[in-house]
Amino acid sequence: DFEGIADDGLKVDVVRKWIKAFLTDSEAGKSGVWRKQNAPLVASLESFLDKAPLWDRAQKAFAENDYEKAISSLKRITVMDPEDHAAKLNLASALANTRQYPEALKAFTAIRKTFAGDADFHVAFGHVHLAMKESDKALEEMVLALEAAPDCQAALDTLRDLGVLAAIYENPRDAASLLSLIHI
């Protein structure tokens, strides 16, 4: 299995299979003494396995644009594992998509340290600030997004929409002729 990782990457289904095999088939996994001595690790591994159906349900709900169903599954995941920041990020996005901005703001704030420096995180967080009419905070997030990825088009577009940047076109009648955005 390890040889395939170089070609295919580490897939979550493979990791789940390995963890399940370890917990059910290995001497350590079957040992009550080992499980007791490593209780936090065992709880974490079992939680990872138990969250799988909820993750699948949430991903399916996102694919169907059923954000309420996604929110329900993601909330259950975050209750099962309060340290699952990926679930919290997806929850924050789903809350934003359902216009539950105060809840989305709280969720984004809770995981800020984990995702600091990720351009997409800052753009999404900034859009929540915009929706709540907090343009200065949105501007700060867009700046952080551009610091993380100077070519982040979503941040550039938002800054243009906020009036901070202006688009310069070689041919004003051709949208594809965008040369740059300048600070005004």
Side-chain angles (χ1 to χ4, degrees):
D1 289 347
F2 285 113
E3 292 171 6
I5 292 173
D7 297 328
D8 302 330
L10 187 60
K11 307 247 189 241
V12 71
D13 292 333
V14 172
V15 173
R16 284 187 187 121
K17 182 178 93 174
W18 289 343
I19 291 172
K20 187 173 184 176
F22 173 75
L23 291 175
T24 58
D25 300 336
S26 72
E27 281 189 41
K30 291 183 204 177
S31 167
V33 173
W34 183 88
R35 282 178 167 264
K36 188 174 182 180
Q37 291 172 340
N38 296 286
L41 174 63
V42 172
S44 178
L45 293 173
E46 288 175 340
S47 173
F48 180 74
L49 294 175
D50 293 344
K51 292 185 295 185
L54 293 170
W55 266 113
D56 292 342
R57 189 175 310 138
Q59 295 307 315
K60 184 179 177 191
F62 273 119
E64 297 169 353
N65 292 326
D66 186 349
Y67 298 112
E68 291 298 332
K69 191 174 182 182
I71 289 169
S72 173
S73 295
L74 292 165
K75 281 184 176 179
R76 289 182 61 200
I77 291 170
T78 61
V79 168
M80 288 173 70
D81 184 1
E83 296 303 315
D84 190 335
H85 287 204
K88 288 182 178 186
L89 177 63
N90 283 296
L91 176 60
S93 296
L95 290 166
N97 280 317
T98 58
R99 293 179 165 63
Q100 297 178 52
Y101 300 121
E103 294 87 351
L105 186 68
K106 183 178 177 182
F108 276 119
T109 301
I111 57 173
R112 182 177 188 83
K113 285 184 181 179
T114 300
F115 293 99
D118 180 280
D120 293 333
F121 170 80
H122 291 296
V123 169
F125 197 9
H127 283 142
V128 171
H129 283 299
L130 275 178
M132 296 183 70
K133 309 282 190 244
E134 298 172 339
S135 56
D136 287 344
K137 290 181 180 179
L139 177 65
E140 290 173 20
E141 292 300 325
M142 296 308 148
V143 168
L144 291 171
L146 289 174
E147 286 176 358
D151 62 342
C152 180
Q153 194 60 48
L156 291 168
D157 291 345
T158 302
L159 290 172
R160 183 198 61 225
D161 294 345
L162 286 170
V164 175
L165 298 177
I168 304 295
Y169 294 91
E170 186 174 19
N171 177 355
R173 297 171 199 244
D174 180 11
S177 71
L178 178 66
L179 294 174
S180 65
L181 295 171
I182 62 164
H183 180 69
I184 52 175

